[in-house]
Amino acid sequence: MSETIETTVNGRAVTLRAEDPEMPLLYALRGELGLTGLHFGCGLAQCGACTVQIDGEAVRSCQFPAVQARGRKLVTLEGLGTPERPHPVQTAFIEMQAVQCGYCLPGMIMTSAALLARNPQPTEAQIREELAGVICRCGTQPRVIAAVLRAARG
Amino acid sequence: MDAMLDRRSILKAGGALTVAFAVGLRPRDAAAWTEKPVATDEVAAFLSIDARGGVTVHVGKVDLGTGVRTGFMQIAAEELDVPMARISVVEGDTALTPDQGPTYGSLSIQNGGVQLRAACATARRELIRLAAERLGAEPAALRVEEGMVIGPGGRVGYAELVGGRALALKVDANAPIKPPEARRIVGRAVPRVDIPDKVFGRFRYVYDVRREGMLHGRTVFPPALGATVEAVDEASVQGIPGVVKVVREGSYVGVVAETEWAAIKAARALRVRWSAWAGLPDQARLWEHVRATPVAQVQVTSERGNPAEVIRGAARQLAASYDWPIHSHASMGPSCAVAEFQGDRLTVWTASQATHNLRKQLGLMLGMPIERIRCIYLEGSGCYGRNGHEDAAADAALLARAVGRPVRLQWMRQDEHAWDPKGPPHLVDLRAGLDAQGNVVGWESEAFIPKGAGGNVDLLAAELAGLPRENQIHPGNIIHNLAVPYAFPAVKTTCHRLETTPFRPSWIRTPGRMQNTYANEAFIDECAAAAGADPIAYRLRHLPADETRGREVLERVARLANWQTRPSPQPDRSGEILRGRGVSYCKYELVRTYVAGIAEVEVNRRTGVIRVTRFWCAHDCGQMINPDGVKAQVEGNIVHTLSRTFKEELTFSRSAVTSVDWSTYQVITMPEVPEIVVELIDRPTERPWGAGEPAAAIVPSAVSNAIFDATGVRLRSVPFTPARMRAAIQGA
Ligand code: FES
Ligand code: FES
């Protein structure tokens, strides 16, 4: 049975529709809200392409039931920062040109931003560990590491 | 209806009534483009200048996430002297862009960019000529600044000269291009134009196309590769709200629904009775299977002297076999397309690397004249060869035709891993003879690889549905680089082109050239070790005397890595962690980009775990349009190929692929990525060559050689897993 969910996405109060209790948040965000800054990569919580932040934590929206988003604070890549007010991690990714196709970016950026909020001065090893479950097929990892380090150093 | 769809016109072409139309995501595409030329010898095929002086570049080569779009803009901005900001790019749109061939083979800049440069140079010369007439000045007295032609007596802008009108002239391949010292944009690390939108989540990928009335589709794949449909129980999905239709054509089965989630649920729930099928070889005996496969053609790719006889009479003989497993493209984003019929016309939004070819394939499959099909490229997740995007386009077209509404179709993760065309198994046997000084005097190699070359990989849906297709296999140009770049006195390199291969083959980044270079460069390392020679010195002494650019990349990478001259293996192999370094060299296809690399590894003797700690690379692809773009490609090649070398291997039962997600088909993870140091050699006066593939060619052999240097043990079967390393050390 379809149900409606009141929640906050990128600072805006929105109503989402879950077609059933299992429907992953990913389809509500991409489909209904048109938030295409998160991507479908595996649907298995294995790659990170669908990552959003929920109450400040990096969460894989492909395995997170939409119904559990009720009353939470969701942030997607679109809401993390804007060209006018970029998040430091986004600025660093642009400065380091740490993008090839960009499909992995929701995982790389949202996970790194959550890490820096928790631990503003991570070591390179901590960054690598944090991003160990975020897959990138283009081989952009060396630049991603450099970008997150740069964001941390401010 | 979308306003952009209403601009269509009917024009007569060659006596036949052809319908052309402009459909696009952006208003820019809505202009009346119906008579735009797309022939590669027409300047107007590549370029248009609008009434405000904006330049649109039309390219048949597409940006697969590589940044080449920015490179094209640099080329146009440079040759035309217009600011980058005034240039926009249309890529891979069969109605608007010239057919420059598929985006593969590291040819986008080398061929596509050079064609574009010639078109721009031709246009510039013409614009200056027109300006000279207008201003009553000699062309030589004029200069161009920001799209404005300036002379002693006045100035006139491109917009005023041709704005809005087509540049009706033929491309002159000899039109003068800017000399290196006059270049201001080409050769610079200009930031990529797509990155900000990607970083802010605003970039529009193929996955993001939305059309009025669009439905969502999923393909229901057979449980076994060759299984056919016996019955479909449509009632099994009736209870799912939003299901629109179950589509069946032959053994192609798909579902269409109002929402994506409903389509996914229906594809999972649909009950289909399939025939049994178990026609795959036993994976444990894959190489026996390959050796036993009938040979369609024997191709000798290089021959000098009589190596068989020379090797027999040589002071020392060596022989080894190297094998490379079956790989999936394993793209991050499962393949996706949107198809829409309007009357008897079809538009497909696709991330295909070859939209012009896809259009022909769709025409064949659907029985439609290609003039009624338009394929529009939009970026997908990184594509390293012919993956599933074309297949998804065919699926979407079948579903859209069945429901009469636009359909967005995406594969699921397991579909992508199981059903994308595969990089075929690649096996090479090598023999060499050394003289008393350790020099190679004879070299023979035999590769066992499927027949075919580049071309159109058949659309899976056509195969399943029993619709027309070419019915040929096309694994890519996989014979290159079996011939060696060294001046051995007697050589013969032979490719046994096999009639079949277990999975529908296609090319994955550096197809064949990487596998052949892996075998050659590891085997020459075996020769160097047998000769007691330093691996770099050994290569240098076998390079042709006039190969100065080859020498240079080897010498540079040696300096970069602070290479210690000595033979392999390193002498102290008593500890638990063994360290070593290995080198590799490649002259791409023996005619272009030069690359040399050094891998540094640590091997844990007990666990067999191999860690690549650093990788150095020296790279010469001639003139560079955007050095940072080249560097990113080199880094990407190295990381991607390390993943393939250490982790990736398709697994399968007798019926189906069993490595169907990221836990069963593992890839490199962030902690495993080494430090990478790249040295780029810029040659602004040379022609530009490709950078999207060559660096991949050297990675597996550099690693195999480093492992040998560390341990004294040679790994010849990819992937280099801990189990294989342990077994090799224990067996040594
Ligand atoms: S799509 Fe969610 S982790 Fe892969
Ligand atoms: S940039 Fe393509 S997957 Fe990471």
Side-chain angles (χ1 to χ4, degrees):
Chain A
M1 258 297 122
S2 134
E3 49 179 312
T4 55
I5 300 142
E6 313 281 334
T7 186
T8 309
V9 179
N10 297 333
R12 262 192 316 133
V14 297
T15 306
L16 299 174
R17 195 174 68 90
E19 291 169 41
D20 60 45
E22 279 84 51
M23 184 176 108
L25 179 60
L26 179 140
Y27 299 104
L29 295 176
R30 276 190 64 90
E32 251 181 284
L33 297 189
L35 292 171
T36 52
L38 57 119
H39 304 142
F40 170 73
C42 65
L44 305 164
Q46 291 176 342
C47 75
C50 63
T51 306
V52 299
Q53 287 182 2
I54 301 183
D55 298 334
E57 245 178 85
V59 171
R60 299 188 167 189
S61 65
C62 70
Q63 286 267 309
F64 188 91
V67 289
Q68 285 182 28
R70 185 167 284 132
R72 317 280 290 266
K73 282 200 169 49
L74 277 53
V75 177
T76 69
L77 199 52
E78 291 94 334
L80 185 70
T82 60
E84 299 73 37
R85 299 181 55 134
H87 186 280
V89 173
Q90 289 171 312
T91 305
F93 270 66
I94 295 171
E95 285 171 355
M96 302 309 289
Q97 297 279 291
V99 182
Q100 291 278 331
C101 76
Y103 211 72
C104 60
L105 281 181
M108 295 295 181
I109 294 182
M110 300 309 279
T111 312
S112 304
L115 167 70
L116 294 187
R118 225 173 42 237
N119 174 6
Q121 295 293 319
T123 62
E124 180 177 329
Q126 287 170 328
I127 294 168
R128 284 173 179 260
E129 229 18 79
E130 189 73 18
L131 296 174
V134 182
I135 293 171
C136 172
R137 288 295 279 161
C138 297
T140 315
Q141 290 93 335
R143 288 172 183 239
V144 168
I145 296 164
V148 180
L149 279 170
R150 187 185 182 99
R153 308 229 162 101
Chain B
M1 174 171 289
D2 192 321
M4 287 174 253
L5 296 178
D6 292 327
R7 306 283 186 90
R8 70 183 82 126
S9 67
I10 296 173
L11 63 135
K12 289 225 191 256
L17 193 65
T18 321
V19 182
F21 53 107
V23 188
L25 285 172
R26 289 162 300 228
R28 192 182 70 222
D29 293 352
W33 277 114
T34 49
E35 288 176 68
K36 182 186 175 302
V38 292
T40 52
D41 62 345
E42 296 279 348
V43 169
F46 293 92
L47 278 181
S48 60
I49 297 174
D50 67 26
R52 295 212 310 273
V55 174
T56 305
V57 168
H58 297 88
V59 280
K61 298 282 187 193
V62 298
D63 192 325
L64 304 169
T66 58
V68 80
R69 181 183 302 120
T70 305
F72 290 143
M73 290 169 70
Q74 287 178 262
I75 289 171
E78 184 71 72
E79 291 305 328
L80 291 169
D81 272 317
V82 269
M84 288 275 287
R86 235 183 272 165
I87 296 180
S88 53
V89 181
V90 175
E91 295 160 81
D93 180 333
T94 56
L96 302 179
T97 61
D99 181 0
Q100 295 179 283
T103 304
Y104 62 22
S106 265
L107 297 167
S108 292
I109 293 291
Q110 178 172 333
N111 292 356
V114 167
Q115 281 177 320
L116 172 64
R117 182 168 72 181
C120 292
T122 309
R124 177 197 172 91
R125 188 173 61 189
E126 175 67 4
L127 288 159
I128 289 180
R129 194 188 63 76
L130 291 171
E133 272 176 14
R134 182 82 66 96
L135 300 173
E138 281 303 309
L142 302 177
R143 65 177 203 281
V144 186
E145 275 173 29
E146 309 212 330
M148 186 66 69
V149 188
I150 303 170
R155 53 175 57 205
V156 55
Y158 286 171
E160 222 180 304
L161 290 168
V162 292
R165 275 170 294 120
L167 288 154
L169 52 149
K170 296 280 178 203
V171 176
D172 175 2
N174 298 317
I177 58 165
K178 282 240 193 107
E181 60 281 6
R183 292 176 195 150
R184 286 170 310 162
I185 302 168
V186 154
R188 300 268 155 95
V190 171
R192 278 173 54 167
V193 294
D194 55 327
I195 286 182
D197 277 352
K198 287 178 174 175
V199 161
F200 294 114
R202 297 175 174 198
F203 191 83
R204 286 289 176 231
Y205 294 90
V206 70
Y207 317 96
D208 310 331
V209 173
R210 294 289 177 274
R211 305 295 301 169
E212 186 77 36
M214 186 178 89
L215 298 172
H216 293 268
R218 283 294 183 278
T219 297
V220 178
F221 288 83
L225 230 56
T228 54
V229 175
E230 289 173 348
V232 177
D233 174 11
E234 294 196 19
S236 58
V237 296
Q238 254 165 21
I240 300 171
V243 173
V244 173
K245 194 171 173 124
V246 174
V247 177
R248 177 186 169 185
E249 287 212 34
S251 286
Y252 176 84
V253 182
V255 292
V256 182
E258 295 285 349
T259 66
E260 194 169 4
W261 181 236
I264 293 169
K265 284 195 292 184
R268 286 180 185 155
L270 186 72
R271 273 205 298 274
V272 182
R273 201 168 74 236
W274 300 93
S275 68
W277 185 89
L280 285 172
D282 176 1
Q283 180 164 20
R285 310 174 72 162
L286 176 63
W287 302 113
E288 285 163 61
H289 170 83
V290 166
R291 286 186 192 280
T293 304
V295 173
Q297 185 197 6
V298 176
Q299 262 175 310
V300 176
T301 60
S302 67
E303 189 166 22
R304 182 162 61 238
N306 185 343
E309 197 174 300
V310 172
I311 292 169
R312 258 197 310 279
R316 270 195 88 164
Q317 289 96 14
L318 283 84
S321 297
Y322 285 82
D323 59 62
W324 187 273
I326 304 170
H327 277 165
S328 167
H329 296 259
S331 291
M332 273 294 277
S335 295
C336 179
V338 176
E340 175 170 341
F341 279 86
Q342 293 173 295
D344 59 359
R345 302 181 319 272
L346 167 65
T347 305
V348 177
W349 288 267
T350 171
S352 165
Q353 60 168 203
T355 46
H356 285 275
N357 289 356
L358 174 61
R359 181 192 194 204
K360 293 179 197 142
Q361 290 188 283
L362 290 172
L364 178 64
M365 176 179 92
L366 299 168
M368 286 174 71
I370 61 166
E371 292 74 22
R372 295 207 210 117
I373 300 173
R374 180 178 181 185
C375 295
I376 300 174
Y377 176 78
L378 286 172
E379 256 187 77
S381 74
C383 155
Y384 323 99
R386 200 302 200 171
N387 60 6
H389 278 304
E390 285 80 359
D391 300 313
D395 295 8
L398 284 185
L399 296 180
R401 185 167 73 171
V403 295
R405 281 169 67 180
V407 172
R408 174 190 183 277
L409 172 127
Q410 189 166 20
W411 284 6
M412 300 301 283
R413 171 48 49 199
Q414 71 268 20
D415 309 333
E416 189 72 23
H417 267 84
W419 292 91
D420 77 325
K422 302 292 183 283
H426 196 115
L427 175 68
V428 186
D429 293 338
L430 304 108
R431 292 175 294 279
L434 310 188
D435 66 13
Q437 287 73 48
N439 293 314
V440 177
V441 286
W443 176 285
E444 272 191 313
S445 63
E446 293 174 85
F448 297 84
I449 52 180
K451 68 179 182 185
N456 296 331
V457 174
D458 275 340
L459 300 172
L460 182 62
E463 205 173 318
L464 292 171
L467 292 170
R469 61 192 168 105
E470 289 175 23
N471 205 6
Q472 301 275 341
I473 60 170
H474 296 289
N477 280 317
I478 55 178
I479 63 170
H480 288 297
N481 285 106
L482 189 65
V484 293
Y486 302 107
F488 303 143
V491 186
K492 185 173 181 183
T493 59
T494 307
C495 294
H496 301 277
R497 308 304 303 276
L498 310 178
E499 208 42 82
T500 59
T501 185
F503 296 89
R504 183 174 61 129
S506 83
W507 43 94
I508 304 182
R509 202 173 207 163
T510 323
R513 305 141 209 173
M514 186 244 283
Q515 290 85 343
N516 292 328
T517 302
Y518 150 61
N520 287 344
E521 284 295 303
F523 192 57
I524 194 174
D525 226 66
E526 298 199 42
C527 297
D534 172 78
I536 290 184
Y538 194 73
R539 282 170 173 78
L540 290 172
R541 92 189 197 212
H542 284 94
L543 272 184
D546 59 354
E547 194 59 283
T548 50
R549 287 171 77 171
R551 262 166 220 286
E552 185 168 347
V553 288
L554 273 165
E555 283 159 3
R556 284 216 198 199
V557 81
R559 273 201 301 279
L560 198 62
N562 194 18
W563 178 268
Q564 306 300 314
T565 301
R566 58 165 174 77
S568 288
Q570 56 89 16
D572 178 12
R573 302 199 289 282
S574 54
E576 179 165 288
I577 304 288
L578 305 178
R579 294 186 177 80
R581 83 307 198 243
V583 67
S584 177
Y585 163 73
C586 179
K587 177 181 183 181
Y588 206 52
E589 295 171 348
L590 297 189
V591 293
R592 47 192 182 126
T593 305
Y594 293 86
V595 53
I598 293 174
E600 178 187 74
V601 302
E602 283 179 7
V603 181
N604 184 311
R605 265 155 54 95
R606 197 173 42 80
T607 63
V609 170
I610 306 161
R611 227 164 64 79
V612 179
T613 44
R614 285 184 287 183
F615 201 103
W616 298 269
C617 179
H619 194 270
D620 171 4
C621 59
Q623 183 202 351
M624 288 188 284
I625 308 302
N626 186 325
D628 193 55
V630 171
K631 184 159 175 278
Q633 283 303 296
V634 173
E635 293 165 355
N637 269 306
I638 293 168
V639 175
H640 186 193
T641 312
L642 286 173
S643 179
R644 297 179 69 184
T645 304
F646 281 102
K647 310 199 87 167
E648 297 179 35
E649 178 173 31
L650 192 86
T651 61
F652 50 92
S653 67
R654 302 305 288 259
S655 302
V657 173
T658 51
S659 49
V660 290
D661 58 25
W662 300 113
S663 70
T664 47
Y665 189 91
Q666 295 202 1
V667 298
I668 197 165
T669 64
M670 194 61 101
E672 296 166 316
V673 171
E675 182 189 337
I676 294 172
V677 184
V678 179
E679 184 164 307
L680 302 173
I681 302 171
D682 189 19
R683 300 193 188 277
T685 56
E686 298 287 343
R687 56 178 299 194
W689 285 326
E693 299 179 329
I698 56 163
V699 173
S701 41
V703 166
S704 170
N705 298 342
I707 293 168
F708 173 76
D709 185 57
T711 63
V713 171
R714 174 66 63 179
L715 293 187
R716 301 188 184 89
S717 279
V718 168
F720 300 155
T721 59
R724 281 185 171 154
M725 187 73 252
R726 274 198 312 272
I729 289 174
Q730 278 152 19

